[in-house]
Amino acid sequence: MRRLLVPLFTILYIAPAVLFFSAQSALAQAASGKHPFTFEDMMALKRVGDPQPSPDGKWVLFSVTDVSLEANAKTPHVWVVPTAGGESREIIFTQSSDRPRWSPDGKHFAFTSTQEGGSQIWIADFDGASGKVTATHKLTSIATEADGELWSPDSKNILFVSNVYPECDGEPEAEAACNAKKLDDRKNSKVKALIFDHLLYRHWNAYKEGMRSHLFVVPTTCVGTGAPPVRPGEAGQKTSDGAAGVPARQTPDHPNAPKAGASGTPSEDACRYNDLTPGDYDAPVSSLGGQDNYAFSPDGQEIAYSSNHDKVESTSTNGDIWLVSVNSGGMISGNRITPLAPQAKNITADNPAGDFTPLYSPDGKYIAYRSQQRPGYESDRFRLMLYDRKTGAKKNLTEDFDRWVGTYTWAPDAKSIFFSAEREGESPIWRVATDGKRVDIRIHGFLDDLTFTKGTTLLFTRMTLQAPVEIYRASEDLSKWCDVLNSEPDCSKPEQLTHLNDATLSQVSMSPLEPFWFTAAHGDKVQGFLVKPPNFDPNQKYPVKFLVHGGPEGAWGDDWSYRWNPELFAANGYVVVMINFHGSTGYGQKFIDAINGDWGGAPFEDLMKGLDYAEKTYPFIDKDRECALGASYGGYMMNWLLGHTDRFKCIVTHDGMFNSTSAWGTTEELWFNEWEFKGTPYSNRELYDKWSPHLAAKNFKTPTLVVHGQLDYRLDVSEGFQLFTTLQRLGVPSKMLYFPDEGHWVLKPQNSQLWYKTVNDWVDQWTKK
């Protein structure tokens, strides 16, 4: 981030009192040994996630992503930490390793790696006594790549996801060859044209090019046939001391060593990839992260997964839960696979809305999953459902719980489920019994990635506005956990297991999130938040960055972000104000639904009244130096502000809707626009026109920075171009930051650096004295 340089002639006109307080602030900062948060600090942080406890409960594997500004790259690695606490260590030293998943005996774990180009599944041998990896073995070598792996509970198979051509479905060997040939033909063709014959031909930031996500299983006897095994310190694989060596041999006592064929080499039959979900469908459904949309049954014989078979996917949110036998796509006998016609069973066909993230109970009696009830509405309430595998009966465990159920995990005794759910700027862990009679908070905070170790130790990730994700564990004594909804925060006293970012954060000055409430649209109480700049002086006046979140069904809270980081926005001398307007999550479904068909109505009123309240309540806010910033729906709101208020000195609008009709015609997820605007532009033109920012262009006056990415298919780049053209023709001071290689989010490190600098420079230009 650029530090503000004040010219000498400006200093001459600063009041002596201001100089005094600035000097005092500088002295306080120097005395603390801390400095304001910078972009370079943020890139130095390690990105922790995905805790995976070992079957014996002694170790936790997790992923850590390092960012290199110089290389303009993010590289994931696999780390380990003792469950009881202790030093965290990197244990896979390849160029890229991610998503560790344990074998049932805890002597191995699977992980994904792109060390040889495309993503493939590898197996690591793990020494439970020392917590070290003794060798790694390549499992898959599939042309369409592999990720999302799971180890079957019976140890016989590994499940993975691969994007394939559905017309290649068939006998495993022929299917693999067909997919490989199609990929090769596309790569070598000088004609890059695509032909579409149905909607959802592109999604988020990529064209689908006729491919579908399918679930495959591969026998664990395949281990070692993909490539020679490698031990740490061998074949260029660096150890912690930087040593390197030569390829290792397949150890004859390896439990999954493939049987030799007639030639003395591992049999290729052991490595056939069995497609469990053939057909012209995404199975599992596509996801932007979070919990898997597929799971193994405890006996390893069945897969549950979510897939949408509706004819027009672009208008449908109807993911269903399907069940398929591991052997239904091909009977595995020894090292041979005999193709069979898959017989998948839809267990949620009675629900025309979304059903996702199935998870079997430890005793195998139930399948839990998250469910919605209104077709076409991606922001309907997520309920926690229970499916009885014996009777087929379904039960809603959270019927009276007016929050979205997030990630969840079964308790080891299968009598209750623990889950995260947003509530008023936090995301606590809740518990519900399988009888559904009681839902209560167990741990407060902004928490995710829930999983139990052997026994009753709960692992989870935690973050705040002032610190990114680290891994925590909860007390094994459940009697010490919170028992009532309004108990004191952190009453379970969770213990922090990882401390990968302590050193960096100890050098940085940040301010906590401060909540406030006010009365807004419909007479409802609405929550807002404020972040003060570092070394805050209550006697000084500060300019304001007014942030508006996207979604629109999203929310600000006490959580960490690398893309719109309030601490980084506050760091160079700003007060940051944020409002969770009508439509925000964490305040009940009625509050969320209030934005449907009312995009520029109640939310706009909430935002203006929230800022009014902050200006009146906090005397250090300089209401004459405010800039508004937002992306996605926040970008839409910036465009709406342009035509409906002149109170801001500047605006930053990132991938926002400008023309509601053209946005409908160029988006891929039509269900979103058609729900929010209650139809299509030709069936409900009045509502599209009512809330379209472009129709108020004659009122545009505020200096505006427009940001958009070429690969943004949710809100096409043409929305940004239309706005910039309009601003330029009207003579409004404006600038456009265009990314040819980014989608809806700016993700590449150097692009992110340019984004923060350009945005903050624009705000400084119009608000700093």
Side-chain angles (χ1 to χ4, degrees):
M1 175 181 290
R2 182 181 72 88
R3 287 188 172 89
L4 184 65
L5 301 177
V6 184
L8 179 61
F9 69 86
T10 303
I11 295 177
L12 295 177
Y13 289 93
I14 298 178
V18 175
L19 283 174
F20 172 77
F21 287 119
S22 298
Q24 290 291 94
S25 178
L27 288 172
Q29 178 178 319
S32 69
K34 297 185 177 183
H35 60 265
F37 191 43
T38 68
F39 180 83
E40 289 71 24
D41 291 325
M42 189 166 70
M43 293 298 102
L45 295 170
K46 292 184 179 296
R47 307 184 183 191
V48 177
D50 198 20
Q52 298 292 319
S54 60
D56 63 6
K58 295 180 179 179
W59 300 97
V60 181
L61 294 173
F62 59 99
S63 64
V64 176
T65 298
D66 294 315
V67 178
S68 171
L69 262 177
E70 182 180 0
N72 197 29
K74 301 174 184 175
T75 306
H77 301 283
V78 175
W79 285 55
V80 68
V81 65
T83 308
E87 179 189 5
S88 299
R89 295 179 287 104
E90 183 179 352
I91 59 170
I92 297 291
F93 299 95
T94 57
Q95 182 179 2
S96 171
S97 56
D98 203 2
R99 194 186 156 94
R101 292 296 184 273
W102 290 100
S103 64
D105 62 8
K107 295 181 180 180
H108 318 277
F109 62 86
F111 64 96
T112 61
S113 178
T114 58
Q115 61 182 292
E116 295 185 356
S119 176
Q120 299 293 343
I121 311 300
W122 289 65
I123 304 297
D125 301 337
F126 183 78
D127 179 5
S130 64
K132 295 181 179 180
V133 168
T134 58
T136 60
H137 314 261
K138 190 177 182 183
L139 174 67
T140 63
S141 294
I142 184 171
T144 50
E145 304 187 23
D147 60 20
E149 83 290 352
L150 289 177
W151 208 301
S152 68
D154 63 4
S155 299
K156 294 180 179 179
N157 298 292
I158 288 180
L159 181 73
F160 66 89
V161 181
S162 189
N163 289 322
V164 298
Y165 294 96
E167 59 269 30
C168 288
D169 291 344
E171 193 275 333
E173 193 171 67
E175 180 175 346
C178 174
N179 278 293
K181 183 178 185 303
K182 281 185 168 291
L183 285 174
D184 194 55
D185 289 346
R186 187 179 75 187
K187 178 181 178 181
N188 295 327
S189 176
K190 294 182 180 180
V191 177
K192 304 301 179 183
L194 299 173
I195 298 175
F196 314 130
D197 60 6
H198 62 272
L199 289 178
L200 213 64
Y201 51 84
R202 62 181 188 175
H203 201 202
W204 281 101
N205 64 352
Y207 283 81
K208 297 178 72 68
E209 299 182 339
M211 303 183 80
R212 294 290 194 175
S213 61
H214 283 187
L215 286 166
F216 290 77
V217 288
V218 59
T220 51
T221 51
C222 182
V223 173
T225 61
V230 179
R231 293 193 180 96
E234 299 174 341
Q237 192 177 26
K238 294 182 179 180
T239 61
S240 57
D241 60 3
V246 295
R249 296 179 181 178
Q250 174 71 56
T251 52
D253 59 344
H254 190 283
N256 293 320
K259 301 297 184 291
S263 64
T265 59
S267 169
E268 292 183 359
D269 291 329
C271 296
R272 292 188 176 185
Y273 312 115
N274 187 26
D275 189 346
L276 293 180
T277 58
D280 193 11
Y281 311 104
D282 284 316
V285 293
S286 62
S287 173
L288 295 177
Q291 202 156 358
D292 290 339
N293 272 304
Y294 50 93
F296 265 114
S297 61
D299 62 7
Q301 299 301 302
E302 183 179 86
I303 301 292
Y305 63 94
S306 180
S307 181
N308 185 349
H309 288 201
D310 282 3
K311 186 176 180 179
V312 185
E313 295 168 83
S314 64
T315 61
S316 170
T317 59
N318 185 26
D320 279 314
I321 305 299
W322 298 74
L323 309 180
V324 65
S325 169
V326 171
N327 294 322
S328 68
M331 185 66 69
I332 303 174
S333 178
N335 289 332
R336 302 294 304 180
I337 299 178
T338 304
L340 299 173
Q343 299 295 322
K345 176 185 178 182
N346 185 349
I347 64 171
T348 59
D350 56 334
N351 180 28
D355 300 296
F356 306 103
T357 60
L359 196 61
Y360 290 83
S361 61
D363 59 11
K365 293 181 180 179
Y366 303 102
I367 298 174
Y369 60 96
R370 297 187 311 135
S371 181
Q372 299 175 307
Q373 291 185 353
R374 287 178 281 182
Y377 188 23
E378 67 177 1
S379 294
D380 192 23
R381 180 160 63 94
F382 285 93
R383 300 153 175 85
L384 187 60
M385 302 293 294
L386 202 63
Y387 171 79
D388 188 313
R389 296 180 70 197
K390 183 177 181 180
T391 67
K394 302 184 186 75
K395 180 191 298 183
N396 184 350
L397 298 181
T398 55
E399 179 62 38
D400 299 322
F401 181 70
D402 193 18
R403 295 290 186 272
W404 285 6
V405 173
T407 59
Y408 69 95
T409 189
W410 281 91
D413 62 5
K415 294 181 179 179
S416 60
I417 296 174
F418 290 73
F419 62 93
S420 63
E422 287 184 68
R423 188 189 74 155
E424 299 175 2
E426 65 168 353
S427 181
I429 292 176
W430 310 68
R431 182 183 66 171
V432 61
T434 52
D435 60 13
K437 291 182 179 179
R438 181 182 181 188
V439 178
D440 53 16
I441 286 184
R442 294 280 117 180
I443 308 174
H444 287 269
F446 216 103
L447 316 172
D448 203 356
D449 299 316
L450 288 61
T451 184
F452 274 95
T453 68
K454 180 182 179 180
T456 57
T457 300
L458 180 65
L459 299 176
F460 53 92
T461 57
R462 183 179 194 175
M463 59 180 168
T464 69
L465 191 80
Q466 296 173 280
V469 166
E470 296 281 4
I471 298 173
Y472 286 71
R473 54 167 284 175
S475 168
E476 294 189 18
D477 185 357
L478 296 185
S479 66
K480 295 180 180 178
W481 290 26
C482 310
D483 289 323
V484 295
L485 186 64
N486 296 316
S487 56
E488 290 297 319
D490 306 327
C491 59
S492 64
K493 296 180 175 60
E495 303 168 40
Q496 187 173 342
L497 274 185
T498 61
H499 297 266
L500 274 68
N501 294 305
D502 287 2
T504 298
L505 295 175
S506 67
Q507 303 300 312
V508 173
S509 175
M510 293 186 186
S511 300
L513 187 71
E514 299 183 29
F516 59 86
W517 291 84
F518 60 97
T519 302
H522 310 307
D524 294 336
K525 290 291 184 180
V526 172
Q527 189 175 30
F529 300 98
L530 179 141
V531 181
K532 296 171 183 174
N535 305 301
F536 172 74
D537 179 354
N539 297 306
Q540 187 175 330
K541 288 281 190 178
Y542 292 93
V544 171
K545 289 175 181 173
F546 186 54
L547 307 186
V548 179
H549 70 68
E553 291 87 358
W556 299 111
D558 195 14
D559 59 334
W560 184 265
S561 173
Y562 288 98
R563 290 183 293 107
W564 281 73
N565 188 292
E567 296 287 0
L568 197 52
F569 281 128
N572 65 329
Y574 286 84
V575 169
V576 173
V577 177
M578 302 168 284
I579 305 297
N580 281 343
F581 49 82
H582 280 83
S584 301
T585 53
Y587 304 90
Q589 193 61 40
K590 180 182 177 181
F591 192 83
I592 294 172
D593 293 346
I595 199 172
N596 301 156
D598 193 36
W599 271 34
F604 174 72
E605 183 180 342
D606 294 344
L607 291 165
M608 296 301 98
K609 287 184 175 179
L611 188 55
D612 289 343
Y613 176 88
E615 291 172 353
K616 294 176 182 177
T617 306
Y618 304 104
F620 48 82
I621 285 180
D622 187 342
K623 66 179 182 179
D624 295 323
R625 294 190 292 148
E626 297 174 334
C627 188
L629 308 86
S632 196
Y633 173 83
Y636 163 88
M637 182 52 68
M638 296 303 102
N639 302 341
W640 187 258
L641 294 178
L642 267 170
H644 294 84
T645 181
D646 295 329
R647 73 185 293 175
F648 297 102
K649 292 297 182 183
C650 64
I651 282 175
V652 177
T653 174
H654 184 159
D655 55 29
M657 180 187 294
F658 177 63
N659 182 328
S660 61
T661 298
S662 62
W664 172 85
T666 52
T667 193
E668 12 75 286
E669 293 183 352
L670 284 170
W671 66 72
F672 177 81
N673 302 59
E674 293 184 12
W675 180 276
E676 296 293 337
F677 292 94
K678 303 184 183 300
T680 67
Y682 49 84
S683 66
N684 193 9
R685 186 57 179 263
E686 181 181 356
L687 196 60
Y688 276 79
D689 287 349
K690 180 178 181 180
W691 302 124
S692 188
H694 84 286
L695 293 177
K698 64 181 181 180
N699 300 325
F700 290 3
K701 297 176 183 177
T702 308
T704 300
L705 172 66
V706 183
V707 186
H708 224 112
Q710 181 66 47
L711 306 181
D712 185 355
Y713 304 143
R714 282 294 297 111
L715 284 151
D716 192 80
V717 68
S718 59
E719 295 299 301
F721 289 151
Q722 289 181 69
L723 171 59
F724 182 64
T725 297
T726 301
L727 291 166
Q728 288 283 301
R729 290 291 290 119
L730 290 171
V732 176
S734 51
K735 182 185 292 186
M736 184 162 187
L737 175 58
Y738 164 74
F739 291 101
D741 55 347
E742 298 284 8
H744 199 61
W745 307 290
V746 176
L747 300 177
K748 296 181 179 179
Q750 291 180 12
N751 283 348
S752 180
Q753 184 177 40
L754 175 63
W755 185 91
Y756 272 106
K757 184 181 187 308
T758 304
V759 168
N760 282 317
D761 283 354
W762 182 259
V763 180
D764 286 351
Q765 177 182 339
W766 299 99
T767 63
K768 283 292 184 76
K769 292 180 180 178

